């Protein structure tokens, strides 16, 4: 069972292999939740069941199905 937030921080000097290694260390069944920062970027992942569905351009939730 996955619980809590997980984060991957990407630094300007990181190589693609570094990013892929950090990404691969995340547990299964987590999804991207948000990004923080501008130069050093922290990607936050949460368990899939805790993710907020994306909103449409007018701010409404998409219709199911």
């Amino acid at each position: 069972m996955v619980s809590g937030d997980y984060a991957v921080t990407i630094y300007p000097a990181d190589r693609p292999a570094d990013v892929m290694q950090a990404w691969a260390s995340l547990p299964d069944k987590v999804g991207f939740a948000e990004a923080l920062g501008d130069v050093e970027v922290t990607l936050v992942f949460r368990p899939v069941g805790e993710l907020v569905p994306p909103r449409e351009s007018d701010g409404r939730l998409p219709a199911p199905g």
Side-chain angles (χ1 to χ4, degrees):
M1 180 91 191
V2 176
S3 63
D5 290 355
Y6 297 85
V8 172
T9 300
I10 301 170
Y11 299 94
D14 284 348
R15 299 170 301 140
D18 300 328
V19 176
M20 293 303 295
Q21 184 177 15
W23 195 287
S25 71
L26 293 168
D28 289 338
K29 300 191 181 190
V30 296
F32 176 73
E34 61 184 313
L36 310 167
D38 53 1
V39 176
E40 296 167 351
V41 179
T42 299
L43 305 176
V44 178
F45 297 83
R46 293 195 176 102
V48 173
E50 295 178 19
L51 294 176
V52 176
R55 296 190 179 268
E56 294 185 1
S57 59
D58 63 1
R60 294 181 300 137
L61 290 173

